[in-house]
Amino acid sequence: FVETLTENFDDIMKNISSIDARKATATMMEDRDAIFGLIESGMSFGALNNSVMTAIRAWLVDAARATLTGMEGTAGVASMEAAALLHSIGGLYNEQERHTTRHWRR
């Protein structure tokens, strides 16, 4: 987890930022149409996408912080791995702030 989050951070952020419920598929076209209709009559695709991206980023932060907590009491907490993980957590917070600010300015 740590290696993926720290070494592939930009790819992870790019993938999260590309989430778009409009690209979803369903086996039955009428199911897809019904689901899309519910989304459009409720929160909108933009709001749904934002909620999903926010939830994934929050999960990543929680998982990374739990990993750091597991490093406490060992030399690992002062390691380069821990520093890289802290850097990624900061990047997640920064990305979330930019996304939230952009979303609320609309």
PDB file of all heavy atoms in Angstrom, residues 5-6 9 13 57 60-62 64-65 68 82-98:
ATOM      1  N   LEU A   5       1.030   4.020  -2.957  1.00  0.00           N
ATOM      2  CA  LEU A   5       0.584   5.391  -2.699  1.00  0.00           C
ATOM      3  C   LEU A   5       1.709   6.398  -2.899  1.00  0.00           C
ATOM      4  O   LEU A   5       1.478   7.485  -3.428  1.00  0.00           O
ATOM      5  CB  LEU A   5       0.008   5.514  -1.284  1.00  0.00           C
ATOM      6  CG  LEU A   5      -0.599   6.863  -0.918  1.00  0.00           C
ATOM      7  CD1 LEU A   5      -1.742   7.222  -1.873  1.00  0.00           C
ATOM      8  CD2 LEU A   5      -1.106   6.854   0.505  1.00  0.00           C
ATOM      9  N   THR A   6       2.921   6.037  -2.511  1.00  0.00           N
ATOM     10  CA  THR A   6       4.012   7.000  -2.614  1.00  0.00           C
ATOM     11  C   THR A   6       4.651   7.041  -3.993  1.00  0.00           C
ATOM     12  O   THR A   6       5.025   8.101  -4.480  1.00  0.00           O
ATOM     13  CB  THR A   6       5.100   6.719  -1.552  1.00  0.00           C
ATOM     14  OG1 THR A   6       5.578   5.385  -1.695  1.00  0.00           O
ATOM     15  CG2 THR A   6       4.558   6.921  -0.153  1.00  0.00           C
ATOM     16  N   PHE A   9       1.573   8.116  -6.817  1.00  0.00           N
ATOM     17  CA  PHE A   9       0.626   9.110  -6.331  1.00  0.00           C
ATOM     18  C   PHE A   9      -0.058   9.863  -7.476  1.00  0.00           C
ATOM     19  O   PHE A   9      -1.274  10.015  -7.494  1.00  0.00           O
ATOM     20  CB  PHE A   9       1.328  10.087  -5.384  1.00  0.00           C
ATOM     21  CG  PHE A   9       0.394  11.107  -4.808  1.00  0.00           C
ATOM     22  CD1 PHE A   9      -0.436  10.779  -3.757  1.00  0.00           C
ATOM     23  CD2 PHE A   9       0.339  12.396  -5.329  1.00  0.00           C
ATOM     24  CE1 PHE A   9      -1.312  11.712  -3.227  1.00  0.00           C
ATOM     25  CE2 PHE A   9      -0.534  13.329  -4.801  1.00  0.00           C
ATOM     26  CZ  PHE A   9      -1.356  12.987  -3.749  1.00  0.00           C
ATOM     27  N   MET A  13      -4.079   9.937  -8.298  1.00  0.00           N
ATOM     28  CA  MET A  13      -4.868  11.174  -8.350  1.00  0.00           C
ATOM     29  C   MET A  13      -5.530  11.350  -9.715  1.00  0.00           C
ATOM     30  O   MET A  13      -6.683  11.780  -9.810  1.00  0.00           O
ATOM     31  CB  MET A  13      -3.999  12.389  -8.031  1.00  0.00           C
ATOM     32  CG  MET A  13      -3.564  12.494  -6.588  1.00  0.00           C
ATOM     33  SD  MET A  13      -4.947  12.624  -5.427  1.00  0.00           S
ATOM     34  CE  MET A  13      -5.161  10.939  -4.914  1.00  0.00           C
ATOM     35  N   ARG A  57     -10.777   9.666  -1.636  1.00  0.00           N
ATOM     36  CA  ARG A  57      -9.645  10.403  -1.062  1.00  0.00           C
ATOM     37  C   ARG A  57      -9.634  10.280   0.466  1.00  0.00           C
ATOM     38  O   ARG A  57      -8.582  10.089   1.077  1.00  0.00           O
ATOM     39  CB  ARG A  57      -9.692  11.868  -1.467  1.00  0.00           C
ATOM     40  CG  ARG A  57      -9.318  12.100  -2.908  1.00  0.00           C
ATOM     41  CD  ARG A  57      -9.219  13.604  -3.208  1.00  0.00           C
ATOM     42  NE  ARG A  57      -9.170  13.826  -4.623  1.00  0.00           N
ATOM     43  CZ  ARG A  57     -10.191  14.289  -5.349  1.00  0.00           C
ATOM     44  NH1 ARG A  57     -11.330  14.616  -4.775  1.00  0.00           N
ATOM     45  NH2 ARG A  57     -10.061  14.461  -6.652  1.00  0.00           N
ATOM     46  N   LEU A  60      -8.340   6.917   1.417  1.00  0.00           N
ATOM     47  CA  LEU A  60      -6.894   6.848   1.249  1.00  0.00           C
ATOM     48  C   LEU A  60      -6.165   7.521   2.410  1.00  0.00           C
ATOM     49  O   LEU A  60      -5.176   6.998   2.929  1.00  0.00           O
ATOM     50  CB  LEU A  60      -6.469   7.485  -0.078  1.00  0.00           C
ATOM     51  CG  LEU A  60      -6.670   6.642  -1.329  1.00  0.00           C
ATOM     52  CD1 LEU A  60      -6.442   7.491  -2.579  1.00  0.00           C
ATOM     53  CD2 LEU A  60      -5.742   5.439  -1.328  1.00  0.00           C
ATOM     54  N   VAL A  61      -6.651   8.685   2.822  1.00  0.00           N
ATOM     55  CA  VAL A  61      -6.037   9.386   3.958  1.00  0.00           C
ATOM     56  C   VAL A  61      -6.148   8.527   5.217  1.00  0.00           C
ATOM     57  O   VAL A  61      -5.168   8.342   5.946  1.00  0.00           O
ATOM     58  CB  VAL A  61      -6.681  10.773   4.186  1.00  0.00           C
ATOM     59  CG1 VAL A  61      -6.270  11.355   5.530  1.00  0.00           C
ATOM     60  CG2 VAL A  61      -6.300  11.722   3.062  1.00  0.00           C
ATOM     61  N   ASP A  62      -7.335   7.980   5.476  1.00  0.00           N
ATOM     62  CA  ASP A  62      -7.524   7.150   6.673  1.00  0.00           C
ATOM     63  C   ASP A  62      -6.620   5.923   6.649  1.00  0.00           C
ATOM     64  O   ASP A  62      -6.009   5.575   7.669  1.00  0.00           O
ATOM     65  CB  ASP A  62      -8.985   6.711   6.798  1.00  0.00           C
ATOM     66  CG  ASP A  62      -9.920   7.843   7.160  1.00  0.00           C
ATOM     67  OD1 ASP A  62      -9.440   8.914   7.582  1.00  0.00           O
ATOM     68  OD2 ASP A  62     -11.142   7.655   7.002  1.00  0.00           O
ATOM     69  N   ALA A  64      -3.788   5.563   4.989  1.00  0.00           N
ATOM     70  CA  ALA A  64      -2.392   5.991   5.119  1.00  0.00           C
ATOM     71  C   ALA A  64      -2.075   6.367   6.568  1.00  0.00           C
ATOM     72  O   ALA A  64      -1.012   6.016   7.090  1.00  0.00           O
ATOM     73  CB  ALA A  64      -2.113   7.168   4.185  1.00  0.00           C
ATOM     74  N   ARG A  65      -2.996   7.054   7.214  1.00  0.00           N
ATOM     75  CA  ARG A  65      -2.777   7.427   8.620  1.00  0.00           C
ATOM     76  C   ARG A  65      -2.737   6.196   9.512  1.00  0.00           C
ATOM     77  O   ARG A  65      -1.937   6.126  10.451  1.00  0.00           O
ATOM     78  CB  ARG A  65      -3.850   8.404   9.076  1.00  0.00           C
ATOM     79  CG  ARG A  65      -3.691   9.767   8.404  1.00  0.00           C
ATOM     80  CD  ARG A  65      -4.727  10.751   8.825  1.00  0.00           C
ATOM     81  NE  ARG A  65      -4.434  11.121  10.211  1.00  0.00           N
ATOM     82  CZ  ARG A  65      -5.232  11.860  10.943  1.00  0.00           C
ATOM     83  NH1 ARG A  65      -6.364  12.307  10.450  1.00  0.00           N
ATOM     84  NH2 ARG A  65      -4.920  12.163  12.178  1.00  0.00           N
ATOM     85  N   LEU A  68       0.661   4.752   9.133  1.00  0.00           N
ATOM     86  CA  LEU A  68       1.635   5.520   9.926  1.00  0.00           C
ATOM     87  C   LEU A  68       1.542   5.169  11.411  1.00  0.00           C
ATOM     88  O   LEU A  68       2.566   5.034  12.084  1.00  0.00           O
ATOM     89  CB  LEU A  68       1.415   7.023   9.747  1.00  0.00           C
ATOM     90  CG  LEU A  68       1.999   7.640   8.493  1.00  0.00           C
ATOM     91  CD1 LEU A  68       1.547   9.084   8.372  1.00  0.00           C
ATOM     92  CD2 LEU A  68       3.515   7.552   8.483  1.00  0.00           C
ATOM     93  N   ALA A  82       8.129   6.474   5.775  1.00  0.00           N
ATOM     94  CA  ALA A  82       7.144   7.266   6.524  1.00  0.00           C
ATOM     95  C   ALA A  82       7.091   8.694   6.004  1.00  0.00           C
ATOM     96  O   ALA A  82       6.010   9.280   5.874  1.00  0.00           O
ATOM     97  CB  ALA A  82       7.470   7.254   8.014  1.00  0.00           C
ATOM     98  N   ALA A  83       8.255   9.259   5.689  1.00  0.00           N
ATOM     99  CA  ALA A  83       8.292  10.623   5.145  1.00  0.00           C
ATOM    100  C   ALA A  83       7.562  10.688   3.810  1.00  0.00           C
ATOM    101  O   ALA A  83       6.793  11.632   3.548  1.00  0.00           O
ATOM    102  CB  ALA A  83       9.739  11.093   4.988  1.00  0.00           C
ATOM    103  N   ALA A  84       7.776   9.686   2.965  1.00  0.00           N
ATOM    104  CA  ALA A  84       7.087   9.649   1.667  1.00  0.00           C
ATOM    105  C   ALA A  84       5.582   9.505   1.860  1.00  0.00           C
ATOM    106  O   ALA A  84       4.786  10.126   1.142  1.00  0.00           O
ATOM    107  CB  ALA A  84       7.635   8.507   0.813  1.00  0.00           C
ATOM    108  N   LEU A  85       5.177   8.701   2.830  1.00  0.00           N
ATOM    109  CA  LEU A  85       3.756   8.525   3.111  1.00  0.00           C
ATOM    110  C   LEU A  85       3.136   9.822   3.627  1.00  0.00           C
ATOM    111  O   LEU A  85       2.044  10.206   3.202  1.00  0.00           O
ATOM    112  CB  LEU A  85       3.557   7.390   4.109  1.00  0.00           C
ATOM    113  CG  LEU A  85       2.133   6.940   4.377  1.00  0.00           C
ATOM    114  CD1 LEU A  85       1.411   6.561   3.087  1.00  0.00           C
ATOM    115  CD2 LEU A  85       2.122   5.765   5.341  1.00  0.00           C
ATOM    116  N   LEU A  86       3.842  10.520   4.503  1.00  0.00           N
ATOM    117  CA  LEU A  86       3.359  11.819   4.978  1.00  0.00           C
ATOM    118  C   LEU A  86       3.220  12.814   3.827  1.00  0.00           C
ATOM    119  O   LEU A  86       2.256  13.575   3.763  1.00  0.00           O
ATOM    120  CB  LEU A  86       4.299  12.383   6.050  1.00  0.00           C
ATOM    121  CG  LEU A  86       4.165  11.763   7.431  1.00  0.00           C
ATOM    122  CD1 LEU A  86       5.342  12.173   8.310  1.00  0.00           C
ATOM    123  CD2 LEU A  86       2.847  12.164   8.072  1.00  0.00           C
ATOM    124  N   HIS A  87       4.168  12.776   2.919  1.00  0.00           N
ATOM    125  CA  HIS A  87       4.105  13.638   1.740  1.00  0.00           C
ATOM    126  C   HIS A  87       2.852  13.325   0.910  1.00  0.00           C
ATOM    127  O   HIS A  87       2.157  14.238   0.448  1.00  0.00           O
ATOM    128  CB  HIS A  87       5.372  13.466   0.903  1.00  0.00           C
ATOM    129  CG  HIS A  87       5.386  14.287  -0.340  1.00  0.00           C
ATOM    130  ND1 HIS A  87       5.619  15.648  -0.335  1.00  0.00           N
ATOM    131  CD2 HIS A  87       5.170  13.950  -1.633  1.00  0.00           C
ATOM    132  CE1 HIS A  87       5.548  16.113  -1.560  1.00  0.00           C
ATOM    133  NE2 HIS A  87       5.282  15.097  -2.375  1.00  0.00           N
ATOM    134  N   SER A  88       2.564  12.046   0.737  1.00  0.00           N
ATOM    135  CA  SER A  88       1.370  11.653  -0.024  1.00  0.00           C
ATOM    136  C   SER A  88       0.089  12.058   0.681  1.00  0.00           C
ATOM    137  O   SER A  88      -0.869  12.494   0.043  1.00  0.00           O
ATOM    138  CB  SER A  88       1.378  10.141  -0.288  1.00  0.00           C
ATOM    139  OG  SER A  88       2.428   9.809  -1.165  1.00  0.00           O
ATOM    140  N   ILE A  89       0.064  11.920   2.005  1.00  0.00           N
ATOM    141  CA  ILE A  89      -1.118  12.356   2.768  1.00  0.00           C
ATOM    142  C   ILE A  89      -1.331  13.852   2.574  1.00  0.00           C
ATOM    143  O   ILE A  89      -2.450  14.307   2.336  1.00  0.00           O
ATOM    144  CB  ILE A  89      -0.971  12.007   4.263  1.00  0.00           C
ATOM    145  CG1 ILE A  89      -1.020  10.491   4.460  1.00  0.00           C
ATOM    146  CG2 ILE A  89      -2.066  12.688   5.087  1.00  0.00           C
ATOM    147  CD1 ILE A  89      -0.666  10.045   5.868  1.00  0.00           C
ATOM    148  N   GLY A  90      -0.248  14.619   2.633  1.00  0.00           N
ATOM    149  CA  GLY A  90      -0.352  16.056   2.375  1.00  0.00           C
ATOM    150  C   GLY A  90      -0.869  16.335   0.981  1.00  0.00           C
ATOM    151  O   GLY A  90      -1.697  17.231   0.776  1.00  0.00           O
ATOM    152  N   GLY A  91      -0.407  15.565   0.019  1.00  0.00           N
ATOM    153  CA  GLY A  91      -0.884  15.724  -1.358  1.00  0.00           C
ATOM    154  C   GLY A  91      -2.359  15.415  -1.484  1.00  0.00           C
ATOM    155  O   GLY A  91      -3.091  16.084  -2.223  1.00  0.00           O
ATOM    156  N   LEU A  92      -2.828  14.406  -0.763  1.00  0.00           N
ATOM    157  CA  LEU A  92      -4.256  14.072  -0.774  1.00  0.00           C
ATOM    158  C   LEU A  92      -5.080  15.222  -0.199  1.00  0.00           C
ATOM    159  O   LEU A  92      -6.116  15.595  -0.757  1.00  0.00           O
ATOM    160  CB  LEU A  92      -4.519  12.796   0.026  1.00  0.00           C
ATOM    161  CG  LEU A  92      -4.123  11.495  -0.644  1.00  0.00           C
ATOM    162  CD1 LEU A  92      -4.056  10.371   0.377  1.00  0.00           C
ATOM    163  CD2 LEU A  92      -5.103  11.151  -1.756  1.00  0.00           C
ATOM    164  N   TYR A  93      -4.618  15.769   0.919  1.00  0.00           N
ATOM    165  CA  TYR A  93      -5.320  16.916   1.499  1.00  0.00           C
ATOM    166  C   TYR A  93      -5.322  18.106   0.532  1.00  0.00           C
ATOM    167  O   TYR A  93      -6.341  18.779   0.365  1.00  0.00           O
ATOM    168  CB  TYR A  93      -4.699  17.338   2.829  1.00  0.00           C
ATOM    169  CG  TYR A  93      -5.114  16.501   4.010  1.00  0.00           C
ATOM    170  CD1 TYR A  93      -4.167  15.897   4.825  1.00  0.00           C
ATOM    171  CD2 TYR A  93      -6.455  16.337   4.339  1.00  0.00           C
ATOM    172  CE1 TYR A  93      -4.547  15.137   5.924  1.00  0.00           C
ATOM    173  CE2 TYR A  93      -6.837  15.587   5.426  1.00  0.00           C
ATOM    174  CZ  TYR A  93      -5.878  14.985   6.213  1.00  0.00           C
ATOM    175  OH  TYR A  93      -6.258  14.246   7.299  1.00  0.00           O
ATOM    176  N   ASN A  94      -4.200  18.358  -0.091  1.00  0.00           N
ATOM    177  CA  ASN A  94      -4.090  19.459  -1.045  1.00  0.00           C
ATOM    178  C   ASN A  94      -5.026  19.245  -2.229  1.00  0.00           C
ATOM    179  O   ASN A  94      -5.737  20.169  -2.651  1.00  0.00           O
ATOM    180  CB  ASN A  94      -2.639  19.605  -1.521  1.00  0.00           C
ATOM    181  CG  ASN A  94      -2.451  20.800  -2.406  1.00  0.00           C
ATOM    182  OD1 ASN A  94      -2.919  21.892  -2.095  1.00  0.00           O
ATOM    183  ND2 ASN A  94      -1.761  20.614  -3.518  1.00  0.00           N
ATOM    184  N   GLU A  95      -5.042  18.052  -2.774  1.00  0.00           N
ATOM    185  CA  GLU A  95      -5.910  17.741  -3.910  1.00  0.00           C
ATOM    186  C   GLU A  95      -7.370  17.880  -3.517  1.00  0.00           C
ATOM    187  O   GLU A  95      -8.184  18.412  -4.275  1.00  0.00           O
ATOM    188  CB  GLU A  95      -5.626  16.325  -4.410  1.00  0.00           C
ATOM    189  CG  GLU A  95      -6.449  15.900  -5.604  1.00  0.00           C
ATOM    190  CD  GLU A  95      -6.124  16.643  -6.876  1.00  0.00           C
ATOM    191  OE1 GLU A  95      -5.004  17.172  -7.003  1.00  0.00           O
ATOM    192  OE2 GLU A  95      -6.997  16.705  -7.760  1.00  0.00           O
ATOM    193  N   GLN A  96      -7.711  17.425  -2.320  1.00  0.00           N
ATOM    194  CA  GLN A  96      -9.090  17.537  -1.856  1.00  0.00           C
ATOM    195  C   GLN A  96      -9.487  19.005  -1.711  1.00  0.00           C
ATOM    196  O   GLN A  96     -10.572  19.397  -2.108  1.00  0.00           O
ATOM    197  CB  GLN A  96      -9.276  16.804  -0.528  1.00  0.00           C
ATOM    198  CG  GLN A  96     -10.710  16.759  -0.071  1.00  0.00           C
ATOM    199  CD  GLN A  96     -11.612  16.009  -1.030  1.00  0.00           C
ATOM    200  OE1 GLN A  96     -11.188  15.093  -1.709  1.00  0.00           O
ATOM    201  NE2 GLN A  96     -12.856  16.406  -1.103  1.00  0.00           N
ATOM    202  N   GLU A  97      -8.603  19.819  -1.170  1.00  0.00           N
ATOM    203  CA  GLU A  97      -8.892  21.249  -1.012  1.00  0.00           C
ATOM    204  C   GLU A  97      -9.084  21.921  -2.364  1.00  0.00           C
ATOM    205  O   GLU A  97     -10.012  22.696  -2.559  1.00  0.00           O
ATOM    206  CB  GLU A  97      -7.764  21.930  -0.230  1.00  0.00           C
ATOM    207  CG  GLU A  97      -7.945  23.430  -0.079  1.00  0.00           C
ATOM    208  CD  GLU A  97      -9.168  23.821   0.729  1.00  0.00           C
ATOM    209  OE1 GLU A  97      -9.620  23.035   1.566  1.00  0.00           O
ATOM    210  OE2 GLU A  97      -9.689  24.927   0.501  1.00  0.00           O
ATOM    211  N   ARG A  98      -8.212  21.625  -3.320  1.00  0.00           N
ATOM    212  CA  ARG A  98      -8.345  22.210  -4.660  1.00  0.00           C
ATOM    213  C   ARG A  98      -9.651  21.777  -5.304  1.00  0.00           C
ATOM    214  O   ARG A  98     -10.352  22.589  -5.898  1.00  0.00           O
ATOM    215  CB  ARG A  98      -7.176  21.775  -5.554  1.00  0.00           C
ATOM    216  CG  ARG A  98      -5.936  22.535  -5.321  1.00  0.00           C
ATOM    217  CD  ARG A  98      -4.901  22.318  -6.391  1.00  0.00           C
ATOM    218  NE  ARG A  98      -5.071  21.099  -7.146  1.00  0.00           N
ATOM    219  CZ  ARG A  98      -4.093  20.308  -7.538  1.00  0.00           C
ATOM    220  NH1 ARG A  98      -2.857  20.602  -7.254  1.00  0.00           N
ATOM    221  NH2 ARG A  98      -4.337  19.223  -8.233  1.00  0.00           N
TER     222      ARG A  98
END
